[in-house]
Amino acid sequence: MHLIIVGAGRTGKPVIESAIKDGHEVVVIENDKELAEKVATTFDCLVINADASSLDTLKEAGAEEADSLIATTNDDSVNLLVIMLGRELGIKKLVSSVTNEDHIKLFKELGVNTVESPFRLNGQFLYRAAQTSSIKDFMDLGDGVEIVEFVVHEKAPAAGVAIKDTSLPRESRVVAIKRDNKMIIPQGSTVILAGDVALVLTMRGFLQTLIKIYGEY
């Protein structure tokens, strides 16, 4: 995937680190010269020291070919403008952090796939969300273990199929299903429905496989 990450601060840094570790093509846009230089010497990625709220800067970062745009600055107005420009350039997955929770509704109305408030802001979550809008939440449990919440897409291979009949990796388990405000502890025969929230315990490295099973891949 070609990811454009705007901002390399507290939130942006773990996004950059995770994306590069997973082998994605990463372009970072950072307006602070000192921070941009630090990222350029620390990570193997293209770093552009410029204002991301410029159409020319986003084009320089390859926005017209990008799969995802992740805005992580602490200025909602900057993030909002970046996201709007990204949408204009046709980027499919738009993800942004939001400093003021009162602004979340505005971001969603403008078509942002995922937004995060400072009360639960997590760079890892923003990175996972950039890969699919079906990811509702994410938690890193350490030692290479993750819990990922998927909103099961209506066209997902797992929709309407018993868990035992899906091609779930051996390293992954559906530990719970949220349906109509109820929590279900599933068995192998449990059928997952479109719109369910599936909580999957998995080893790191299987996210793309799980997206193909539960998401809108």
Side-chain angles (χ1 to χ4, degrees), residues 14-63:
V15 180
I16 297 167
E17 189 172 17
S18 296
I20 292 174
K21 184 178 180 180
D22 286 347
H24 296 301
E25 180 184 351
V26 176
V27 180
V28 177
I29 303 175
E30 173 54 57
N31 202 31
D32 183 284
K33 183 177 180 180
E34 184 177 343
L35 188 53
E37 291 176 349
K38 185 176 181 180
V39 172
T41 57
T42 303
F43 299 104
D44 182 17
C45 63
L46 173 63
V47 180
I48 300 174
N49 177 213
D51 180 6
S53 58
S54 160
L55 199 61
D56 288 339
T57 300
L58 289 174
K59 287 183 177 180
E60 183 183 350

Side-chain angles (χ1 to χ4, degrees), residues 78-124:
V78 171
N79 290 344
L80 186 60
L81 182 52
V82 167
I83 289 298
M84 291 175 68
L85 291 174
R87 185 176 63 174
E88 183 179 330
L89 290 169
I91 301 176
K92 293 181 179 179
K93 293 185 175 65
L94 303 171
V95 182
S96 178
S97 61
V98 180
T99 301
N100 187 337
E101 283 202 321
D102 293 338
H103 297 161
I104 289 180
K105 182 179 179 181
L106 174 60
F107 275 75
K108 289 187 175 180
E109 288 176 347
L110 289 172
V112 184
N113 291 341
T114 305
V115 294
E116 278 290 285
S117 77
F119 300 104
R120 56 185 301 276
L121 194 57
N122 182 316
Q124 283 280 348

